[in-house]
Amino acid sequence: DIQMTQSPASLSASLGETVTIECRASEDIYSNLAWYQQKPGNSPQLLIYDANSLADGVPSRFSGSGSGTQYSLKINSLQSEDVASYFCQQYNNYPWTFGGGTKLELK
Amino acid sequence: EIQLQESGPGLVKPSQSLSLTCSVTGYTITSGYDWSWIRKFPGNKMEWMGYISNSGSTNYNPSLKIRISITRDTSKNQFFLQLNSVTTEDTATYYCARSYYDGYSPFDYWGQGVMVTVSS
């Protein structure tokens, strides 16, 4: 199985700040990577697919980058509604696997 | 609007079978997508369990292969999860979700999830 190592596990940031979350795959996943946002009590929502493509309706302050084994999610100008958990997922190889998640809170 | 909705018992006894239903509205499950079960454990680890394709074939996570079965009822536009011989380690929130059938696509729609506790 491909292991997805996500960091940090938790993050505290101020409104307006830029935050970055990292995801490292145990082998090359050829940009077959998605990022999801999950707010408490809600289901995960797709933010980014194919490492850097914005899903429909997602604000442009979210962006994804990376290749090979290293990927990142950046949130520019943090808003209060961005408080959530974020996790990455690879869909290059079965079984599809997820990162451990990052809990983002406001400072 | 596409919606997925999980249903099933919230409490299952150890050694018994866990059975869940995902009801899909706004899209026909025989058209072009794979339909997965995913679970999120306490502590936030997530695990893809398997899917049933639009054609009815299945693909399971090898970690579950001897215990899992995913089936469907196309007349009701529903698909199902059965997990046998559950233990307390199967306590989790279970989600159904869809991904494009090519095998290289993310989950674009998810259900709200159903919490299942395995306890005597």
Side-chain angles (χ1 to χ4, degrees):
Chain A
D1 298 6
I2 295 177
Q3 305 303 313
M4 303 299 293
T5 303
Q6 187 173 338
S7 61
S10 63
L11 181 56
S12 183
S14 303
L15 291 174
E17 196 173 328
T18 295
V19 301
T20 300
I21 300 168
E22 309 277 345
C23 206
R24 185 181 79 247
S26 59
E27 61 185 81
D28 195 330
I29 56 171
Y30 301 96
S31 296
N32 289 308
L33 180 108
W35 290 96
Y36 301 90
Q37 176 193 67
Q38 187 173 25
K39 298 182 180 181
N42 286 0
S43 59
Q45 300 292 312
L46 179 65
L47 292 176
I48 302 285
Y49 63 96
D50 295 348
N52 59 17
S53 296
L54 206 62
D56 290 345
V58 175
S60 58
R61 64 179 180 275
F62 291 91
S63 63
S65 63
S67 62
T69 62
Q70 295 281 140
Y71 299 87
S72 61
L73 171 71
K74 187 164 76 169
I75 310 172
N76 287 317
S77 189
L78 188 69
Q79 305 294 303
S80 57
E81 60 264 32
D82 300 335
V83 170
S85 290
Y86 295 84
F87 51 94
C88 60
Q89 178 235 335
Q90 67 82 18
Y91 44 88
N92 189 69
N93 280 48
Y94 295 117
W96 297 327
T97 49
F98 294 84
T102 296
K103 187 173 183 180
L104 175 58
E105 298 174 326
L106 281 179
K107 192 180 290 183
Chain B
E1 183 190 2
I2 299 165
Q3 291 190 327
L4 290 77
Q5 180 67 59
E6 306 87 349
S7 59
L11 181 64
V12 181
K13 293 187 188 311
S15 80
Q16 294 189 344
S17 292
L18 179 162
S19 295
L20 298 175
T21 298
C22 183
S23 300
V24 180
T25 56
Y27 198 85
T28 303
I29 63 172
T30 56
S31 302
Y33 280 80
D34 296 332
W35 304 88
S36 283
W37 287 98
I38 298 154
R39 59 183 179 176
K40 187 174 187 180
F41 298 99
N44 287 336
K45 177 188 170 185
M46 294 197 70
E47 179 181 58
W48 170 73
M49 302 179 72
Y51 70 65
I52 187 163
S53 73
N54 61 307
S55 65
S57 62
T58 54
N59 186 1
Y60 300 136
N61 191 319
S63 68
L64 298 168
K65 204 160 191 177
I66 59 171
R67 296 200 292 138
I68 190 173
S69 176
I70 299 176
T71 57
R72 66 181 184 174
D73 183 337
T74 57
S75 67
K76 295 182 178 178
N77 216 39
Q78 295 175 328
F79 63 105
F80 312 102
L81 170 70
Q82 181 171 318
L83 187 65
N84 300 321
S85 306
V86 298
T87 71
T88 56
E89 304 290 304
D90 294 309
T91 293
T93 298
Y94 287 75
Y95 297 93
C96 54
R98 79 165 199 178
S99 59
Y100 193 58
Y101 79 100
D102 65 356
Y104 292 99
S105 295
F107 301 110
D108 61 352
Y109 283 92
W110 297 64
Q112 279 297 308
V114 58
M115 187 178 300
V116 178
T117 300
V118 179
S119 175
S120 55

